[in-house]
Amino acid sequence: MQAERTDFFERVWCIVAQIPYGKVTTYGHIAAALGARRSARIVGWALQAAPPGLPCHRVVNSNGWLTGKNHFPSPTFMEERLRSEGVRFIGPDRVDLKLHLWVPGSESEMKR
DNA sequence: CTGATGACGTGTG
DNA sequence: ACACACGCCATCA
C-alpha cells in the first residue's frame, strides 16, 4: 500500500508536531532524531507532504534560514508566524537558533 | 528499473 | 573563513 511512504513521513510529522511554542528546530536535528542524520533532505520532503496544522514553519535549516518559506501559501506567512510566536529574527529570513533551537527527544524520553 | 530532483548537511580546497 | 562539490535517502517521471 502506498501508506508505506506515510510511515517515514509520519515520523517527521510527529517530531515537528512536538515542537513547543516559540521554538524551532532544524532538518538535521529531526533527521538525527529519526536515526537518519544523512536524510535531512528527506525531512524536507515530509514537510512538503505534511498535512495542514503542522507547525512546519518552525522547521528551518542549520543556518536558521527559512529555506522552505518559498513553499508556503505565502512567503511571509512563515516569518510572520514565527515572529508572532516571539521568535527573534537575526536577519530578513533568519531565526535565532541559539535562542529558540529545540531538540527532538528533549520532551520525549526515547529509548536509552 | 533507471534517471533526475529536492524545504540539507558535511567535508575539502 | 569562504566557495564549491559530493553524498544521502526518498519520491516522481
Side-chain angles (χ1 to χ4, degrees), chain A residues 9-27:
Chain A
F9 286 12
E10 196 175 291
R11 304 266 179 194
V12 182
W13 302 339
C14 187
I15 301 295
V16 177
Q18 287 168 48
I19 302 176
Y21 178 91
K23 293 276 190 161
V24 294
T25 191
T26 70
Y27 300 97

Side-chain angles (χ1 to χ4, degrees), chain A residues 35-100:
Chain A
R37 176 177 57 187
R38 319 141 213 222
S39 306
R41 322 177 69 153
I42 315 303
V43 177
W45 248 252
L47 295 177
Q48 182 194 49
L54 201 85
C56 38
H57 59 266
R58 290 183 188 153
V59 185
V60 296
N61 61 345
S62 296
N63 286 320
W65 270 318
L66 309 181
T67 50
K69 84 179 172 119
N70 189 10
H71 292 258
F72 272 79
S74 294
T76 53
F77 177 80
M78 196 176 197
E79 181 182 326
E80 292 291 304
R81 190 53 187 267
L82 288 170
R83 290 196 175 199
S84 185
E85 296 191 354
V87 176
R88 176 89 61 104
F89 275 69
I90 58 181
D93 286 329
R94 213 197 267 181
V95 299
D96 200 324
L97 292 174
K98 59 192 316 77
L99 287 182
H100 302 292

